[in-house]
Amino acid sequence: MSKSKIAVLVIEDEAPIRRFLKMTLTSQGYDFSEAVSGQEGMLKVASEKPDIVILDLGLPDMDGLEVTKQLREWTPIPIIVLSARGQEKDKVEALDAGADDYLTKPFGVAELMARARVALRRTMTNSNGETLSTFKFGDVEVDFLKRQVTKKGEELHLTPIEYKLLSTLIKYVGRVVTHNHLLREAWGAEYSGETHYLRVYMAQLRRKLEKNPAQPKYLITEPGVGYRLKVD
């Protein structure tokens, strides 16, 4: 693969979808490679070192969830899952396994490209290994060194739980963070099923951070799955 372009590896056994993705991605300037099975895909990730993987869950030799888990053992490469499985539990399982994002077939090209840009931007931002000291979105700025949150220059009072939820969403900016992940981060593993806690605290965060809490621009709900900090 030429590294002058962003290299994408598509792991998908359905030829029509591979052809569609090849046409779409190459027209957008991506360097395209493909694999038709999980084993072939993992070998190509190791040998070709693509910048991003687009992965189907229903592969002929192994489940895409297992591919995701195995890749996550040794590489942080962004993984966007494509699947005909549209149930909430399938999305949660893929995200908990280490996928960066999840799109259900049929999917829109514009949405796929936007999700890919977010995943790639986050990876490139973090690639120098520097610790993020501040983060801004809209009128909000978070200073991690001072553990301080301001809006339009005015300091906001966030409870420790609210601050932990916000900092976790910032850590995974652009990605869906599952209910269980947020609960574990903010309250501990024993609270992993208490999703009503999240609804209460996310509502409080929106009242403090969003211009219109009833129609949030940044703190986005992914129904049945989790939440996403959207900063585009």
Side-chain angles (χ1 to χ4, degrees), residues 35-56:
V36 299
S37 70
Q39 289 290 347
E40 182 188 8
M42 288 190 291
L43 288 172
K44 284 199 171 185
V45 171
S47 62
E48 298 180 357
K49 297 179 174 57
D51 298 298
I52 187 169
V53 168
I54 296 175
L55 170 67
D56 179 38

Side-chain angles (χ1 to χ4, degrees), residues 171-232:
K171 180 180 178 181
Y172 297 99
V173 62
R175 289 177 60 177
V176 181
V177 187
T178 64
H179 294 139
N180 283 347
H181 192 139
L182 286 167
L183 286 161
R184 287 196 305 269
E185 290 286 335
W187 284 278
E190 64 271 25
Y191 290 88
S192 61
E194 307 292 342
T195 55
H196 60 283
Y197 285 11
L198 277 178
R199 289 193 293 272
V200 171
Y201 278 86
M202 290 302 296
Q204 292 174 184
L205 267 179
R206 283 170 172 156
R207 283 195 292 271
K208 294 177 179 181
L209 303 180
E210 296 276 5
K211 183 177 181 180
N212 183 357
Q215 294 181 305
K217 181 179 179 181
Y218 304 108
L219 302 174
I220 307 302
T221 300
E222 297 286 344
V225 180
Y227 295 89
R228 179 198 304 267
L229 177 61
K230 183 178 180 181
V231 296
D232 278 355

Side-chain angles (χ1 to χ4, degrees), residues 133-187:
S133 60
T134 62
F135 185 88
K136 294 183 70 174
F137 61 97
D139 297 325
V140 176
E141 181 170 1
V142 181
D143 187 321
F144 294 105
L145 299 178
K146 297 178 181 178
R147 294 180 64 87
Q148 184 181 69
V149 182
T150 58
K151 184 177 182 182
K152 296 183 178 179
E154 297 290 326
E155 185 174 358
L156 297 175
H157 172 69
L158 265 59
T159 68
I161 292 291
E162 290 168 349
Y163 181 83
K164 186 63 176 177
L165 289 172
L166 179 59
S167 60
T168 300
L169 288 168
I170 290 171
K171 180 180 178 181
Y172 297 99
V173 62
R175 289 177 60 177
V176 181
V177 187
T178 64
H179 294 139
N180 283 347
H181 192 139
L182 286 167
L183 286 161
R184 287 196 305 269
E185 290 286 335
W187 284 278

Side-chain angles (χ1 to χ4, degrees), residues 56-77:
D56 179 38
L57 289 187
L59 297 169
D61 59 337
M62 60 194 301
D63 193 281
L65 288 176
E66 185 59 32
V67 175
T68 302
K69 291 174 183 176
Q70 290 193 32
L71 288 176
R72 278 292 167 261
E73 291 177 358
W74 58 273
T75 177
I77 187 172

